[in-house]
Amino acid sequence: MAHSSPKSQATAPIYVALTGNPNCGKTTVFNALTGLRAKIGNYAGVTVERKEGRLRGLPPGRDIILLDLPGTYSLSPKSQDERIARDVLLNRLPDVPAPRVIVVVVDASNLQRHLYYTTQVIELGRPVIVALNMMDVAEQNGLHVDVPALSAALGVPVVPMVASTGKGVAELRTRILDLVYREQSTTGRGLMIELPAPVQETLTPLVQQLRSLPEWDGKVAPETAALLFLSDDERDESSSSVPVSLRGAVLEARSKLGERLPDWRAHLIELRYGRVAECAAQVVRQSEAPRETFSDRLDRVVTHRLWGMVIFFGLMALLFQSIFVFARVPMDWISSGFDALGEWVQRLLAPGPLNDLLVHGVISGVGAVVVFLPQILFLFLFICLLEDTGYMARAAFIMDSLMSKVGLHGKSFIPMLSSFACAIPGIMATRTIESPKDRLVTILIAPLMSCSARLPVYTVLIGACIPDKRLWGFLNLQGLALMGAYLLGVISALAVAWIFKKTLLKATTPLLILELPPYKRPVFTVVLRHMWDRAKLFLTQAGTIILGINILLWFLASYPKDAVMEARFEQQRLAVITNALPHLAGVSEDQLTREWEQWLQTATTEKEKWQEQMSAIEAEASAEKLRHSFAGRLGHAIEPLIRPLGFDWKIGIGILASFAAREVFVSTMSVVYNVSSAGDDDAAATSLAKVMQQQKRPDGTPMYTTLTGITLMVFYVYALQCASTVAVVKRETNSWKWPLFQWLYLGLLAWTISFLVYHAGRWLGWS
């Protein structure tokens, strides 16, 4: 079918909105129409995702953009997601053009419930298409929907579909093109319910005022818009959708209507439900008596009080295993790849600031970002599978009774569990939580769950400070210390969540009212696309911030330069080379260095002794350089702050350096104490632990006592020593306010609890 369009349409994209209830298959319809080519960002000023894609199969010059709106049950919003969907349809967002056509995706197996929202959208007066999805599920349930009768009752085109298999997608695309390029009247078909007299009398003057507003574009039926403005609950902060010049009249009308008909909102809801029930009864025929579905039979086991918990924890164990263990292999590959790249660049470029910046700043910074990618992919693979199969709603139902005791939603459990592997995927997993306050509380407490990056810190501190003893013959004291660190994080997270829900983010314990959608087969291409979208967002948006922070930390640890000190260590290096290769005495320094590199590649017996000497010089030079750097000076500067915790300036350098990532503490302390990092990580950690045991305070007492080790472990349980987490929280909250608050409150908590532990330990005589 050929379609013509004005020239103006060739330059300005036309928007088509896809909307519908949650779990109606809307995203599957969107992916089928756009060919999985979607652009994802955030709506201006909020954290709600904006997902849009170009309708595929169009010739150049014709751009029809499909906007996938958040799932919503009504045009009277109860959450930020629903508010965004409502404001897009009412053309109240300045950065989103008014949609030319609205496609309402409806679950054919739950027609009556979905028609409530559908009738509200139709009343807006814009061209509407109803995509009657999941026709196969309806047939399996013995339901027959009379599509022509439904179209006649609603007054809009209805397209039967099975989007997961592609059935009906071509017809829907054709319908969209027909309506997009057809001259349309936007006067609307009027309200589909008969209003009570008091409501009608109150609504009439509002409609007249709305029609007279110069900024009113007329693309939404004024009767419907005025009714929505009137019906919005002012406690939901929805007044921003009402034109400024109309807000006073709306508030006055609400007050007067409340006096005449106190329960008028509930009455309007009942009228609409009655209307859609009549419509559904006319167009839906039950071919046989309702029978128990496969989902019902499976739910008897999956949501069972005992077996439901067993299945849930089994799946969570698999999820945790995938993030914590299965992702380790590709993470090691990525880490090794970046290490090899750094070594190649180091050999390629002459020694100097540029070499140091690229190797230790840029490449190390990018590697610190990309290494988390396998965990992100595994997490969202499981989340997509759980959501697409319908199990995610069951998981929230199962855990809600436990999480509600601290004021959290049942859906907070999975992000908290994921944070044991890494807070980054855990924080990103909070997107499944509808309530903004519950989601924010979960984000704020996620770093308290001890992530895998803390494990190297715990390992070296336990090895240096905790005796390798057994209690009662079978409990290892070091193992108990490690378990205690993890338990402390969990208990603290729940306690902080309870405090936040009672104070800063005060809200009643949320009631878990959710729909248990039927189980269905996930669409593998959609799952893969979702994983890729999340990975791309993580790398492009959070990654740039992390890279900048790593470069800053490199600068602080590398400057200022001390020419005298560098010349002294260079002479020591040349002396080692000359002693190892006496026949080269008198040659230039450049030639001496080249001959040394070649000799290391060919010599087999004598080079180990000279390499050890060279490594010792390099370690001492790195330590001296760090001591005199800006980071070292900062360590001395913060020493008065951390001295009450039993820490010195050297530990202060480790704490400052570990803001890039917690595990950096180990490598930093290796440099500070001149410990060679050659060999595997376990050997390096063991060597560092032995050196730390030998450290003394100025008064000659041991630096790393059991009490010092426990205090430092407690500090790392609480402190947000992770630039990646800060960057991701900024991305997820769309503001610097919450990541800064999170960093400050966790820092204060870390200092306070560590102070109490250290001084309580001293009082008990542990020192």
Side-chain angles (χ1 to χ4, degrees):
M1 182 181 295
H3 299 276
S4 60
S5 59
K7 290 183 179 180
S8 61
Q9 293 176 343
T11 56
I14 298 169
Y15 276 76
V16 173
L18 261 67
T19 187
N21 290 179
N23 301 310
C24 65
K26 177 171 55 64
T27 299
T28 306
V29 174
F30 174 84
N31 290 330
L33 291 171
T34 60
L36 298 176
R37 293 184 298 273
K39 177 183 177 183
I40 298 179
N42 277 8
Y43 286 95
V46 295
T47 59
V48 177
E49 278 194 350
R50 174 174 171 175
K51 185 176 181 181
E52 59 184 48
R54 185 176 182 270
L55 183 66
R56 65 176 177 177
L58 295 178
R62 288 184 180 176
D63 276 339
I64 296 179
I65 304 299
L66 270 67
L67 189 61
D68 187 7
L69 299 181
T72 178
Y73 291 104
S74 168
L75 285 178
S76 297
K78 301 300 180 185
S79 68
Q80 192 179 50
D81 282 11
E82 292 185 333
R83 191 169 301 122
I84 286 293
R86 188 274 314 273
D87 287 347
V88 169
L89 297 180
L90 290 181
N91 192 25
R92 301 306 302 173
L93 296 183
D95 61 326
V96 182
R100 182 77 62 85
V101 173
I102 302 171
V103 178
V104 185
V105 183
V106 171
D107 180 359
S109 64
N110 289 286
L111 186 62
Q112 181 173 325
R113 177 172 50 77
H114 285 246
L115 283 181
Y116 183 94
Y117 177 65
T118 304
T119 57
Q120 284 188 314
V121 175
I122 292 172
E123 289 172 352
L124 293 176
R126 283 207 176 97
V128 171
I129 303 171
V130 172
L132 194 60
N133 194 27
M134 300 187 188
M135 291 291 289
D136 55 339
V137 178
E139 292 174 2
Q140 291 170 10
N141 294 344
L143 300 175
H144 174 73
V145 181
D146 189 337
V147 175
L150 179 62
S151 178
L154 298 178
V156 297
V158 177
V159 179
M161 299 184 67
V162 182
S164 59
T165 64
K167 183 178 179 180
V169 173
E171 184 182 351
L172 177 60
R173 181 180 179 277
T174 301
R175 289 284 191 177
I176 291 173
L177 292 174
D178 284 342
L179 290 185
V180 162
Y181 294 118
R182 183 193 302 169
E183 291 295 328
Q184 297 288 337
S185 170
T186 58
T187 56
R189 56 164 293 168
L191 298 176
M192 301 182 72
I193 59 175
E194 185 176 348
L195 299 177
V199 178
Q200 184 62 59
E201 293 169 6
T202 306
L203 194 66
T204 301
L206 287 180
V207 173
Q208 294 174 352
Q209 292 184 55
L210 191 57
R211 289 181 184 275
S212 65
L213 294 180
E215 68 267 26
W216 186 251
D217 57 17
K219 292 181 180 178
V220 175
E223 293 84 359
T224 305
L227 181 61
L228 290 173
F229 296 154
L230 190 65
S231 301
D232 282 338
D233 189 341
E234 54 270 24
R235 293 172 299 177
D236 290 330
E237 302 175 1
S238 306
S239 58
S240 60
S241 67
V242 181
V244 177
S245 56
L246 201 63
R247 288 179 189 172
V250 168
L251 292 175
E252 183 180 358
R254 286 174 181 170
S255 178
K256 290 181 178 179
L257 187 55
E259 295 175 359
R260 297 183 61 187
L261 192 63
D263 59 347
W264 63 273
R265 284 192 178 93
H267 188 52
L268 291 180
I269 293 173
E270 291 174 1
L271 287 174
R272 187 172 298 277
Y273 271 119
R275 175 69 182 89
V276 299
E278 293 175 3
C279 180
Q282 294 171 3
V283 302
V284 178
R285 178 170 53 85
Q286 184 83 42
S287 60
E288 56 187 52
R291 58 186 179 182
E292 188 179 44
T293 64
F294 170 76
S295 293
D296 295 331
R297 293 193 298 272
L298 191 56
D299 275 339
R300 283 210 304 269
V301 178
V302 171
T303 61
H304 188 270
R305 179 173 298 180
L306 173 61
W307 299 116
M309 294 294 289
V310 172
I311 293 171
F312 173 77
F313 281 107
L315 288 173
M316 292 304 102
L318 182 60
L319 168 62
F320 186 72
Q321 185 84 357
S322 70
I323 296 175
F324 195 74
V325 178
F326 300 160
R328 178 55 53 192
V329 173
M331 289 177 74
D332 289 342
W333 291 344
I334 293 172
S335 181
S336 300
F338 275 95
D339 288 344
L341 177 62
E343 293 174 1
W344 179 75
V345 172
Q346 198 166 27
R347 291 193 303 269
L348 183 66
L349 298 178
L354 178 60
N355 185 311
D356 203 27
L357 170 63
L358 291 177
V359 174
H360 298 105
V362 176
I363 294 176
S364 294
V366 173
V369 178
V370 179
V371 75
F372 291 112
L373 186 59
Q375 290 182 329
I376 299 291
L377 292 174
F378 271 110
L379 172 73
F380 281 104
L381 169 64
F382 271 84
I383 286 181
C384 286
L385 291 175
L386 293 177
E387 286 182 338
D388 283 7
T389 57
Y391 183 79
M392 186 67 82
R394 278 83 180 174
F397 170 76
I398 291 169
M399 288 307 301
D400 184 66
S401 60
L402 174 63
M403 302 303 294
S404 63
K405 295 186 187 308
V406 295
L408 286 178
H409 200 282
K411 290 186 178 180
S412 297
F413 180 78
I414 292 175
M416 291 175 65
L417 185 69
S418 303
S419 297
F420 275 116
C422 176
I424 291 173
I427 289 168
M428 294 176 72
T430 61
R431 293 171 179 173
T432 61
I433 303 171
E434 294 88 354
S435 168
K437 286 188 176 181
D438 289 343
R439 181 180 182 228
L440 186 55
V441 170
T442 309
I443 288 174
L444 291 176
I445 66 172
L448 287 169
M449 315 300 284
S450 286
C451 64
S452 58
R454 289 180 172 98
L455 196 55
V457 180
Y458 293 160
T459 301
V460 73
L461 290 175
I462 289 173
C465 304
I466 307 298
D468 186 10
K469 295 182 179 179
R470 291 187 177 274
L471 298 178
W472 304 296
F474 65 96
L475 290 179
N476 183 275
L477 192 59
Q478 293 183 331
L480 287 176
L482 183 61
M483 183 180 71
Y486 279 85
L487 286 177
L488 179 62
V490 173
I491 295 170
S492 300
L494 296 176
V496 170
W498 183 84
I499 292 172
F500 280 157
K501 289 303 295 288
K502 296 293 183 182
T503 55
L504 181 66
L505 296 168
K506 189 174 183 179
T508 56
T509 300
L511 294 175
L512 187 66
I513 302 175
L514 51 77
E515 172 191 1
L516 294 182
Y519 292 98
K520 56 183 184 293
R521 250 189 344 264
V523 181
F524 192 62
T525 53
V526 174
V527 172
L528 291 178
R529 183 66 192 188
H530 188 71
M531 290 171 58
W532 167 245
D533 288 340
R534 297 303 173 201
K536 185 169 63 174
L537 278 174
F538 169 71
L539 292 175
T540 57
Q541 299 191 22
T544 53
I545 299 175
I546 299 169
L547 176 60
I549 293 175
N550 275 276
I551 292 175
L552 175 62
L553 288 170
W554 165 84
F555 174 80
L556 293 176
S558 303
Y559 287 90
K561 300 290 187 181
D562 188 329
V564 175
M565 180 183 67
E566 291 181 359
R568 174 163 55 88
F569 284 111
E570 183 62 26
Q571 290 301 318
Q572 293 179 16
R573 295 186 190 97
L574 294 176
V576 171
I577 297 174
T578 303
N579 291 333
L581 306 173
H583 63 282
L584 296 178
V587 303
S588 66
E589 293 183 6
D590 290 342
Q591 183 179 353
L592 197 62
T593 301
R594 288 195 300 270
E595 293 287 345
W596 167 260
E597 294 294 339
Q598 293 176 4
W599 180 74
L600 288 178
Q601 295 176 8
T602 57
T604 57
T605 56
E606 299 181 1
K607 67 178 182 179
E608 290 185 5
K609 178 181 69 174
W610 303 109
Q611 278 184 309
E612 288 178 1
Q613 293 185 23
M614 186 66 77
S615 296
I617 294 172
E618 294 294 347
E620 185 181 355
S622 297
E624 195 70 20
K625 176 178 162 184
L626 183 63
R627 291 188 187 102
H628 290 85
S629 68
F630 290 123
R633 296 175 187 180
L634 286 172
H636 281 285
I638 70 168
E639 189 175 23
L641 181 64
I642 61 176
R643 192 182 296 120
L645 311 181
F647 307 157
D648 66 353
W649 70 272
K650 295 179 180 179
I651 295 178
I653 293 178
I655 290 173
L656 288 174
S658 64
F659 280 114
R662 295 176 180 93
E663 63 270 30
V664 173
F665 175 84
V666 176
S667 59
T668 302
M669 300 313 291
S670 297
V671 173
V672 170
Y673 294 128
N674 300 335
V675 179
S676 173
S677 60
D680 59 59
D681 293 339
D682 292 337
T686 302
S687 178
L688 175 60
K690 291 180 179 179
V691 172
M692 291 169 69
Q693 290 173 347
Q694 301 168 3
Q695 300 304 308
K696 304 291 184 182
R697 296 183 186 272
D699 61 2
T701 58
M703 177 70 224
Y704 289 94
T705 63
T706 299
L707 180 58
T708 304
I710 292 175
T711 305
L712 195 49
M713 286 177 66
V714 168
F715 182 87
Y716 272 97
V717 167
Y718 292 102
L720 183 53
Q721 304 291 108
C722 182
S724 306
T725 301
V726 173
V728 169
V729 173
K730 191 272 177 187
R731 144 88 184 140
E732 293 299 307
T733 62
N734 204 31
S735 167
W736 277 110
K737 177 179 73 173
W738 289 113
L740 289 176
F741 168 78
Q742 184 182 45
W743 185 79
L744 288 172
Y745 105 78
L746 287 173
L748 180 61
L749 195 61
W751 193 95
T752 303
I753 303 298
S754 299
F755 177 86
L756 294 175
V757 168
Y758 181 69
H759 287 278
R762 293 188 65 185
W763 181 73
L764 292 172
W766 289 0
S767 59

